[in-house]
Amino acid sequence: MRAFVYNGLPARVVFGAGALAKLPEELQRLGATKALVLSTPEQRASAAEVARALGARCVGTYDKAAMHVPVDTAEEARRVAKSLGADCCVTVGGGSTTGLGKAIALTSDMPILSVPTTYAGSEMTPIYGITEGGAKKTGRDARVLPKSVIYDPTLTLSLPPALSAASGMNAIAHAVEALYSHEGNPIVSLMAEEGIRALAASLPKIVEAANDLAARTEALYGAWLCGIVLGSAGMALHHKLCHVLGGSFNLPHAETHAIVLPHAVSYNESAAEAMRRIERALGAEHAARGIYDLEMRLRLPMRLADIGMKESDLERAARIATESPYPNPRKVEYAPVLELLRNAYQGHRP
Ligand code: NAD
């Protein structure tokens, strides 16, 4: 076994169908009495329901969370939190809503109580991102790590099947890169492999029957594990590419992850132990092809061309993704990365 560093992050998790009922108790544990509930406009009704359940412990809702946390939204939400005298943020939603809570926590030290409703995993990480002038700046800060997380699979029943599939593959991408991370370790690998297994087993059932609570529960459990490894181990080429494609070319987050993943895995095929673990978790003979075939079963878009990427932008994307070095199992070089992007653009089976 190689030498490693294990750096566990603090986390309190309340998991299970109906766990949302524990929210008042969790707020009390944090000593919070004036919660601000955050959501996207699409999830306004869920936020209102949570606010009602909190009664006098809720001072208001803010429902303008948006993808990649635009700086104007972050600043407005901070002003709202301050003017209401909030002492805690309750985020009800996916990565965009959790991200807005993190933007508030970053400048106020306010604790976050997170109620995730997608599989993105942001609730398990100290990573924040804020977008200004078309560029997303990310950083790590212990203040933005939620103090308590309530995973209630009943809240994910409304996540449309296509978005569930893409979001689940976003989670699997965290686990895949954790398996070959330069910061990997045996605990991270255990969680990553189990996270992939749980999601690969449950996502096809969810696509067939979005209200299958047992499958939703298994998927959310897998997403939790994938979130932990995202927060614990540095990511590599795949996440860099998706960051570039989302940030500079405005492609949708979860779908971009799904499309790029089989090609990034193929690029990093030399990471033999990671490949064997991915294969075992998927029950497949070949890691990259196993991921591709799972995505076909999930009826996901398979080509960057399908989600708004222009062929003429591939070279620029490859240049941005390779201009500064970062750890990756295989050297990150312009020509093979451009080839990877071309394959993802055309949706070839690796
Ligand atoms: P999202 O939060 O943008 O949600 C997508 C849409 O689905 C929104 O309209 C949302 O309201 C809706 N939705 C979410 N849950 C729903 C449900 N259960 N039922 C019905 N509708 C629902 O999407 P996401 O993929 O979860 O998050 C993407 C963002 O999160 C990106 O900005 C990404 O960079 C960020 N992210 C950050 C981290 C981190 O560690 N900081 C990790 C993962 C993702």
Side-chain angles (χ1 to χ4, degrees):
M1 187 179 292
R2 65 191 168 95
F4 61 86
V5 173
Y6 172 68
N7 187 12
L9 295 170
R12 176 176 164 86
V13 165
V14 180
F15 189 100
L20 186 62
K22 301 267 171 55
L23 183 58
E25 227 174 90
E26 287 304 298
L27 270 187
Q28 208 164 359
R29 277 192 87 257
L30 292 178
T33 54
K34 295 173 177 174
L36 173 64
V37 179
L38 306 177
S39 76
T40 61
E42 295 81 16
Q43 288 179 282
R44 187 173 293 148
S46 306
E49 205 181 306
V50 167
R52 260 195 309 278
L54 287 176
R57 287 197 193 88
C58 175
V59 289
T61 57
Y62 180 84
D63 59 17
K64 295 187 204 155
M67 188 76 93
H68 303 315
V69 194
V71 68
D72 293 347
T73 312
E75 277 167 8
E76 187 179 71
R78 286 166 178 160
R79 278 195 299 276
V80 169
K82 199 165 175 195
S83 70
L84 292 172
D87 61 4
C88 167
C89 285
V90 175
T91 62
V92 183
S96 298
T97 304
T98 313
L100 181 62
K102 288 177 168 183
I104 297 175
L106 189 64
T107 55
S108 67
D109 273 345
M110 219 183 272
I112 300 172
L113 201 162
S114 178
V115 184
T117 63
T118 70
Y119 307 128
S122 175
E123 67 283 353
M124 281 292 132
T125 83
I127 306 163
Y128 64 88
I130 297 178
T131 303
E132 187 168 14
K136 185 170 178 181
K137 287 196 196 113
T138 58
R140 290 178 89 95
D141 194 305
R143 283 176 300 177
V144 310
L145 182 69
K147 298 283 182 290
S148 179
V149 178
I150 296 183
Y151 283 108
D152 185 339
T154 61
L155 299 175
T156 63
L157 295 173
S158 55
L159 190 65
L163 193 49
S164 302
S167 187
M169 293 311 303
N170 180 197
I172 287 180
H174 308 328
V176 162
E177 293 231 292
L179 284 172
Y180 54 61
S181 170
H182 66 293
E183 292 175 340
N185 60 60
I187 297 288
V188 156
S189 291
L190 279 177
M191 289 191 280
E193 187 176 334
E194 172 67 356
I196 298 173
R197 187 210 56 75
L199 282 158
S202 54
L203 292 175
K205 295 180 191 161
I206 289 169
V207 167
E208 292 313 318
N211 61 355
D212 179 339
L213 186 59
R216 288 292 192 178
T217 303
E218 179 88 344
L220 199 57
Y221 157 69
W224 166 45
L225 296 174
C226 293
I228 298 175
V229 301
L230 172 67
S232 311
M235 297 288 110
L237 174 64
H238 169 81
H239 280 73
K240 175 72 179 181
L241 285 172
C242 294
H243 186 82
V244 170
L245 294 169
S248 304
F249 301 92
N250 214 19
L251 300 194
H253 176 80
E255 289 81 359
T256 305
H257 271 270
I259 292 171
V260 172
L261 187 61
H263 306 285
V265 170
S266 178
Y267 188 99
N268 283 327
E269 219 159 41
S270 59
E273 192 198 324
M275 297 302 128
R276 297 303 84 77
R277 281 184 179 268
I278 296 166
E279 287 155 7
R280 197 160 60 203
L282 295 174
E285 283 175 10
H286 185 270
R289 288 200 278 278
I291 291 170
Y292 185 94
D293 294 346
L294 172 62
E295 293 180 345
M296 288 291 285
R297 276 180 74 198
L298 298 177
R299 298 192 283 275
L300 279 163
M302 301 303 291
R303 309 180 319 141
L304 289 179
D306 293 339
I307 59 165
M309 186 68 184
K310 290 201 220 98
E311 192 166 13
S312 56
D313 280 335
L314 292 176
E315 290 180 6
R316 188 156 67 92
R319 253 196 316 279
I320 303 174
T322 55
E323 66 197 1
S324 49
Y326 45 88
N328 188 65
R330 175 177 164 195
K331 201 167 173 203
V332 176
E333 291 175 302
Y334 176 78
V337 166
L338 178 59
E339 191 190 335
L340 181 171
L341 285 174
R342 288 216 166 101
N343 287 333
Y345 181 81
Q346 286 159 355
H348 293 314
R349 186 170 186 257

